[in-house]
């Protein structure tokens, strides 16, 4: 019995020690929790006092923002000049009429053109002495198949913009033109006037009143063979109709525009996914170039108040408009000049009106460049294959075209309803 009692006593002492250890641990844990909660509460109050006016973003998208525009006095432009089968000569002519060493150029001849025609244009871009000297003209070698009625013109525009972002340096505006477009003012005129306006502005003709286009373009579903074929053919229709989206408003307008660097960066990066969602919707939309950029811009908070409702073109349409505008002739010359627009379309190949524009508005000889302040005085800008020695490329020599463009832009920006007419 004595041995039994002796065994019980150590076990009882062990239990007491274990119990005391447990109680001590609980007390210590409770104390640590109380101190931690108190510290966190004080830290939160301090945090709220210090940062109440600038809370941390809840989503990663809120940490992304539109980059500021260039601070250079004279802007830089990025051009896409595109064409199709038989447009090689027109592209060369339009490119020379638009050339300025401050700008960047992407030239695209689509897959409908023969390999020989594309190679001839690529050889011209590569071997032209002035282009080689400055290095600001590049041809899109991996050509796309482009159909105006489908989304491939949009994808081609985004492709060229991506190339110009990667290789073209820091530019301020992107302008899309075709081989049937032509300038009505010099680049010195254009750069001079653009240097006086905010660089976040987007010149894009647009409206939310899509009217008949809702039933003829938005609700039908089309398939563009250009998305998967190497041969151009017209779009075909799906029998099923669809409803108009309610997550964003549809806008429509001109397919020709001058877009700011920040907006195109947003379209390519698409950090809140709107550009990609809208692009997928317009993949089955008839004549999507007349709506994609307009819809993205007017549904994006950062850009909806940057629009100027004009496409900077003189275009002669039927009334009501048809799918394509009239071809311009010498009979349209005076109206073109009086429009004050910097560009016009649609021109046929080697039309006499182009020679008239060269001689009377641009001061350009056949196969030459448009004179400007960037040429040295010792060289002749109208030589067919010049070896120019350039002086200061920021030196501009604006002419009458600058006065015309100033009247147009001043009228647009000073209109009473300008700030009320964004994206309506």
């Amino acid at each position: 019995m004595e041995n039994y009692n002796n065994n019980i006593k150590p076990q009882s002492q062990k239990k007491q020690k274990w119990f005391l250890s447990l109680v001590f641990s609980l007390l210590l844990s409770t104390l640590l929790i109380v101190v931690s909660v108190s510290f966190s509460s004080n830290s939160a109050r301090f945090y709220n006092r210090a940062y109440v006016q600038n809370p941390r973003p809840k989503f990663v998208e809120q940490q992304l923002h539109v980059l500021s525009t260039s601070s250079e006095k004279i802007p830089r432009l990025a051009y896409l000049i595109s064409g199709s089968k038989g447009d090689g000569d027109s592209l060369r002519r339009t490119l020379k009429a638009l050339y300025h060493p401050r700008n960047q150029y992407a030239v695209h001849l689509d897959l409908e053109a023969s390999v020989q025609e594309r190679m001839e244009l690529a050889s011209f871009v590569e071997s032209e002495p002035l282009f080689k000297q400055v290095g600001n003209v590049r041809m899109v070698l991996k050509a796309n198949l482009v159909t105006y009625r489908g989304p491939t013109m949009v994808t081609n525009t985004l492709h060229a913009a991506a190339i110009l972002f990667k290789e073209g340096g820091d530019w301020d505006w992107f302008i899309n033109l075709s081989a049937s477009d032509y300038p009505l003012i010099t680049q010195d005129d254009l750069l001079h006037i653009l240097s006086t306006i905010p660089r976040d502005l987007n010149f894009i003709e647009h409206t939310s009143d899509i009217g008949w286009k809702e039933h003829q373009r938005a609700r039908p579903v089309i398939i563009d063979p250009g998305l998967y074929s190497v041969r151009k053919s017209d779009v075909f229709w799906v029998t099923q109709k669809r409803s108009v989206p309610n997550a964003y408003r549809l806008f429509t307008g001109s397919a020709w525009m001058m877009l700011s660097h920040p907006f195109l960066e947003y379209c390519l990066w698409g950090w809140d996914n709107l550009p990609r969602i809208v692009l997928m919707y317009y993949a089955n939309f008839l004549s999507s170039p007349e709506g994609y950029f307009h819809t993205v811009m007017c549904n994006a908070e950062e850009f909806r108040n940057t629009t100027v409702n004009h496409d900077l073109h003189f275009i002669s349409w039927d009334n009501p408009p048809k799918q394509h505008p009239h071809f311009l002739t010498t009979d349209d010359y005076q109206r073109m000049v009086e429009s004050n627009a910097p560009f016009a379309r649609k021109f046929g190949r080697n039309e006499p009106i182009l020679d008239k524009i060269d001689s009377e508005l641009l001061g350009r000889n056949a196969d030459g460049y448009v004179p400007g302040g960037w040429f040295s005085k010792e060289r002749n800008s109208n030589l067919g294959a010049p070896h120019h020695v350039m002086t200061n490329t920021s030196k501009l020599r604006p002419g009458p075209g600058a006065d015309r463009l100033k009247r147009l832009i001043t009228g647009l920006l000073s209109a009473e309803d300008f700030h009320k007419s964004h994206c309506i």
Side-chain angles (χ1 to χ4, degrees), residues 365-422:
N365 292 341
D367 200 35
Y369 292 89
V370 177
W374 54 278
F375 285 109
S376 66
K377 296 180 180 179
E378 293 80 13
R379 299 292 178 173
N380 180 1
S381 66
N382 285 311
L383 292 176
H387 294 274
H388 299 295
V389 178
M390 289 177 295
T391 56
N392 184 3
T393 61
S394 297
K395 181 181 178 181
L396 302 179
R397 198 165 65 214
D403 296 330
R404 297 198 305 271
L405 181 60
K406 182 179 180 180
R407 287 195 292 271
L408 173 66
I409 292 184
T410 300
L412 292 170
L413 300 186
S414 63
E416 292 184 4
D417 62 344
F418 173 66
H419 293 290
K420 298 179 182 179
S421 62
H422 297 300

Side-chain angles (χ1 to χ4, degrees), residues 161-414:
I163 291 173
L164 291 168
F165 264 102
K166 181 181 179 181
E167 301 180 2
D170 188 17
W171 42 264
D172 299 283
W173 279 288
F174 173 92
I175 301 173
N176 67 322
L177 300 174
S178 76
S180 58
D181 287 85
Y182 211 69
L184 302 178
I185 64 175
T186 70
Q187 290 301 290
D188 278 22
D189 295 333
L190 182 58
L191 293 172
H192 173 69
I193 298 302
L194 293 182
S195 67
T196 66
I197 66 173
R199 297 186 189 180
D200 62 344
L201 293 178
N202 290 280
F203 289 78
I204 181 168
E205 184 185 274
H206 64 281
T207 178
S208 62
D209 182 15
I210 62 176
W212 57 269
K213 293 183 180 181
E214 176 180 337
H215 294 283
Q216 296 191 23
R217 295 186 180 179
R219 293 187 181 276
V221 178
I222 62 101
I223 303 296
D224 184 357
L227 293 174
Y228 58 84
S229 176
V230 294
R231 295 186 180 277
K232 184 178 293 189
S233 60
D234 197 10
V235 301
F236 61 87
W237 304 80
V238 178
T239 56
Q240 182 67 38
K241 303 289 185 180
R242 60 181 174 182
S243 60
V244 175
N246 55 26
Y248 47 87
R249 294 173 64 196
L250 295 181
F251 286 77
T252 187
S254 172
W256 311 102
M257 57 202 74
M258 185 171 77
L259 303 176
S260 70
H261 187 287
F263 174 68
L264 264 180
E265 184 177 38
Y266 171 72
C267 289
L268 293 173
W269 283 99
W271 51 80
D272 69 356
N273 211 31
L274 175 66
R276 281 181 287 270
I277 291 173
V278 177
L279 182 61
M280 293 184 71
Y281 173 79
Y282 274 95
N284 304 112
F285 193 102
L286 191 68
S287 298
S288 55
E290 298 177 4
Y292 171 70
F293 293 104
H294 318 65
T295 298
V296 172
M297 184 175 299
C298 286
N299 285 276
E301 183 178 355
E302 300 96 323
F303 301 104
R304 63 169 59 110
N305 292 324
T306 66
T307 61
V308 181
N309 206 342
H310 199 283
D311 63 3
L312 301 180
H313 273 70
F314 172 83
I315 306 176
S316 180
W317 293 96
D318 285 307
N319 190 14
K322 295 181 180 179
Q323 180 71 31
H324 299 287
H326 295 157
F327 280 96
L328 300 174
T329 67
T330 52
D331 294 336
D332 300 297
Y333 178 79
Q334 194 59 38
R335 290 195 301 137
M336 281 190 285
V337 174
E338 293 174 353
S339 73
N340 299 323
F343 308 102
R345 72 183 320 269
K346 187 173 185 180
F347 293 101
R349 296 166 185 161
N350 297 318
E351 282 288 332
I353 181 62
L354 296 176
D355 297 330
K356 186 176 179 67
I357 292 172
D358 278 344
S359 61
E360 298 189 15
L361 300 182
L362 304 181
R364 173 182 180 269
N365 292 341
D367 200 35
Y369 292 89
V370 177
W374 54 278
F375 285 109
S376 66
K377 296 180 180 179
E378 293 80 13
R379 299 292 178 173
N380 180 1
S381 66
N382 285 311
L383 292 176
H387 294 274
H388 299 295
V389 178
M390 289 177 295
T391 56
N392 184 3
T393 61
S394 297
K395 181 181 178 181
L396 302 179
R397 198 165 65 214
D403 296 330
R404 297 198 305 271
L405 181 60
K406 182 179 180 180
R407 287 195 292 271
L408 173 66
I409 292 184
T410 300
L412 292 170
L413 300 186
S414 63

Side-chain angles (χ1 to χ4, degrees), residues 87-155:
D87 285 335
D89 290 339
S90 296
L91 282 175
R92 281 189 283 270
R93 179 172 188 163
T94 301
L95 175 59
K96 282 194 168 184
L98 290 167
Y99 186 79
H100 193 285
R102 290 188 64 83
N103 299 336
Q104 296 290 327
Y105 300 86
V107 182
H108 179 263
L109 194 58
D110 87 341
L111 282 178
E112 188 179 35
S114 67
V115 174
Q116 180 180 354
E117 187 178 15
R118 293 204 306 276
M119 292 301 294
E120 288 175 354
L121 182 61
S123 176
F124 163 74
V125 169
E126 184 178 356
S127 62
E128 184 71 8
L130 187 55
F131 300 165
K132 291 179 66 175
Q133 179 182 351
V134 182
N136 61 341
V137 181
R138 56 192 55 80
M139 183 169 174
V140 181
L141 296 178
K142 293 184 178 180
N144 304 295
L145 194 63
V146 178
T147 54
Y148 181 84
R149 282 160 59 87
T152 43
M153 182 175 170
V154 173
T155 61

